[in-house]
Amino acid sequence: MEERGMETNQEVMKGSWIRVGDDGGLLVPDDPVVGFIEGDGVGPDIWAATRLVLDAAVEKSFGGAKRIFWRELLAGEKAFEATGEWVPQETLEMLRRCVVAIKGPMTTPVGEGIRSLNVMLRQVLDLYACVRPVRYFKGVPSPVRYPEKVNMVIFRENTEDLYAGIEWASGSPEARRFASILKEEFGVEVSGESAFGVKPMSRRGTQRLVRSAIRYALSRNLSSVTFVHKGNIMKYTEGAFRKWGYELAAEEFPDATVTEAEVLEEHGGKVPFGRVVIKDRIADSMFQQALLRPEEYHVLATPNLNGDYLSDALAAQVGGLGMAPGANIGDSCAVFEATHGSAPKYAGLDRVNPGSLILSGVMMLEHLGWDEAGRMVTGAMEKTIADRVVTYDLARQMEGAREVKCSEFAQAVVERM
Ligand code: NAD
């Protein structure tokens, strides 16, 4: 059914393309072409480890009936050396063509006029949902008493809010002009040399994020979706996020969801069977809840800035960013990635923890609908860490640990599948 034998760089490429179906779901062949960007710094080390683990899990789970055909896409320093561009046009086209890709961290070029390659990729490909699952792995040192109670997936809006990049420096002609418009047209007086940042948030931007969060909860039988906002203060942006979120749940998922208020007022405090509970929390209160009652939260949907803070705080709660996976997902493309940076001082030393990228690979397998393979990786990683076979970052905090290299950790995971 798929195209085969595509000519690329004088070689015949094997594998078939993934497609997006009319309902927005993926049509995944047994031999999908999946793009990978190796990344800079420690990228090549953690990518090699990740590829070994993912290939082994797919092979063992499906007895050879399924296989990923990896297609390298150039970006970052490797691309700049080869083509003079940080993210070549061909890479963007192939990311769209592949539909699914995984990437290592990329060093942000200094003084090149590009803010961040990652931000650029998210914007160009319209990857509007930043998805970060946060869970605990037994044995990992954590700063809290019951880290195992944390099991949440954060859906952070990726394209709007104060991160849209609309800001003017204090004293700039734009800031002065903006201040005069505020004064003359709106009668609002702002102190003379203020800097400004604009916080755009739209119904469409909010609702596509909330839609994907609710669909995710439904597809994985998770019991709640919580909107995290500062709507008590910023009524027309964060407050609207909350309002648009509830409206979307009621309009598009009336039989599959129930609000927290309805549970109390209409169902005597008991959630009707099979319904996802929709609730909301003010952001500051959510940080308390995450520490005090984490077991009551499953999927969190949040605007950009709240999500940024919350993702790192929750990751720290379960033992740090070195193990936190992530993905940036849009309607036509998804890119799975390590959440840490390129850690240049460890480049090529085969030393760092590949956990973040391996677990991003698990998210990717689940996105393909290959959950068995994902579970095999997670289970084997749980065993490896419980056996205290870990890289330096965890070894220095664990008693009786056996410190291994990045590649040896991957081997140890494969051995435990
Ligand atoms: P970093 O995450 O690269 O490294 C900070 C420190 O964290 C490292 O020195 C190391 O001690 C530790 N660390 C990071 N990853 C680890 C791992 N897998 N295992 C064990 N320890 C690990 O952050 P940075 O130094 O601020 O950034 C370096 C570069 O990466 C910058 O150019 C930055 O812009 C870029 N960056 C890229 C991404 C991305 O591609 N998604 C994310 C963040 C930063």
Side-chain angles (χ1 to χ4, degrees):
M1 104 186 154
E2 306 285 331
E3 298 159 42
R4 278 170 195 274
M6 297 167 291
E7 297 290 333
T8 53
N9 308 332
Q10 280 92 44
E11 61 171 336
V12 176
M13 199 178 94
K14 299 212 181 77
S16 310
W17 297 117
I18 296 169
R19 292 177 193 281
V20 181
D22 294 336
D23 63 353
L26 291 193
L27 304 171
V28 182
D30 287 340
D31 57 348
V33 178
V34 172
F36 76 88
I37 293 170
E38 202 172 46
D40 304 324
V42 296
D45 283 351
I46 60 174
W47 167 244
T50 300
R51 181 171 176 163
L52 183 87
V53 169
L54 298 184
D55 282 342
V58 169
E59 163 73 28
K60 285 174 204 264
S61 301
F62 303 113
K66 293 182 196 280
R67 179 184 160 192
I68 293 172
F69 285 83
W70 299 106
R71 165 82 195 251
E72 179 160 19
L73 311 177
L74 290 184
E77 288 165 357
K78 206 169 175 181
F80 193 74
E81 277 159 28
T83 69
E85 285 181 274
W86 294 104
V87 183
Q89 192 58 33
E90 191 191 340
T91 295
L92 293 173
E93 279 160 24
M94 281 308 296
L95 280 168
R96 288 193 189 96
R97 191 73 178 94
C98 288
V99 180
V100 175
I102 185 164
K103 66 173 271 296
M106 292 193 291
T107 302
T108 303
V110 178
E112 292 294 329
I114 299 179
R115 274 216 302 192
S116 147
L117 300 179
N118 300 298
V119 173
M120 188 260 223
L121 276 184
R122 285 173 207 166
Q123 284 170 350
V124 173
L125 300 171
D126 199 19
L127 306 174
Y128 60 81
C130 175
V131 184
R132 296 262 191 105
V134 189
R135 55 149 293 186
Y136 180 65
F137 280 84
K138 196 163 170 250
V140 173
S142 151
V144 301
R145 228 179 308 162
Y146 303 109
E148 66 283 357
K149 289 187 178 177
V150 177
N151 196 351
M152 298 182 214
V153 184
I154 303 165
F155 277 69
R156 164 187 167 197
E157 205 287 324
N158 235 349
T159 64
E160 303 195 317
D161 200 351
L162 288 165
Y163 283 53
I166 313 169
E167 44 178 16
W168 299 295
S170 162
S172 66
E174 293 86 355
R176 290 209 177 105
R177 170 103 182 92
F178 195 66
S180 79
I181 292 174
L182 286 179
K183 187 173 176 193
E184 284 155 25
E185 300 197 15
F186 299 102
V188 178
E189 193 85 51
V190 183
S191 93
E193 292 297 281
S194 296
F196 293 96
V198 178
K199 184 178 170 77
M201 286 172 55
S202 68
R203 177 189 285 272
R204 173 177 174 269
T206 298
Q207 291 195 331
R208 63 182 183 171
L209 185 268
V210 170
R211 183 181 296 114
S212 58
I214 295 178
R215 278 193 185 144
Y216 183 93
L218 287 169
S219 70
R220 286 169 175 77
N221 290 322
L222 301 174
S223 18
S224 70
V225 174
T226 306
F227 308 141
V228 182
H229 61 89
K230 257 325 261 186
N232 54 331
I233 306 295
M234 293 168 270
K235 298 190 190 304
Y236 301 125
T237 48
E238 303 260 331
F241 181 90
R242 170 186 183 276
K243 175 171 161 279
W244 291 326
Y246 278 113
E247 282 172 7
L248 176 110
E251 281 159 21
E252 297 189 13
F253 304 95
D255 301 327
T257 60
V258 62
T259 66
E260 191 176 38
E262 286 165 353
V263 171
L264 291 175
E265 289 156 19
E266 297 168 23
H267 301 281
K270 223 171 157 275
V271 178
F273 180 75
R275 302 270 191 115
V276 172
V277 179
I278 307 291
K279 48 190 176 180
D280 76 280
R281 296 290 180 270
I282 308 260
D284 35 312
S285 147
M286 188 63 228
F287 278 88
Q288 292 188 28
Q289 295 279 298
L291 284 165
L292 302 175
R293 310 161 83 100
E295 66 277 18
E296 293 179 12
Y297 298 90
H298 311 92
V299 175
L300 307 180
T302 141
N304 212 333
L305 180 61
N306 303 335
D308 196 358
Y309 297 152
L310 208 47
S311 304
D312 280 18
L314 281 171
Q317 212 167 312
V318 295
L321 275 173
M323 297 273 293
N328 293 296
I329 303 181
D331 288 332
S332 52
C333 185
V335 180
F336 297 80
E337 66 172 4
T339 51
H340 56 77
S342 57
K345 72 177 177 189
Y346 293 103
L349 300 181
D350 192 17
R351 196 145 185 243
V352 298
N353 188 345
S356 174
L357 195 60
I358 292 176
L359 292 174
S360 303
V362 170
M363 292 176 75
M364 191 197 83
L365 293 171
E366 290 169 354
H367 190 71
L368 296 177
W370 295 6
D371 292 35
E372 309 85 313
R375 277 194 297 273
M376 186 175 277
V377 176
T378 313
M381 240 175 99
E382 277 168 358
K383 279 189 218 141
T384 311
I385 294 169
D387 288 348
R388 294 166 197 258
V389 177
V390 288
T391 46
Y392 82 95
D393 51 312
L394 296 181
R396 65 187 173 190
Q397 305 174 67
M398 282 163 87
E399 239 169 80
R402 176 154 77 84
E403 182 180 325
V404 293
K405 294 175 178 218
C406 174
S407 56
E408 291 167 342
F409 179 80
Q411 287 288 357
V413 172
V414 172
E415 281 161 20
R416 286 163 178 79
M417 281 176 185

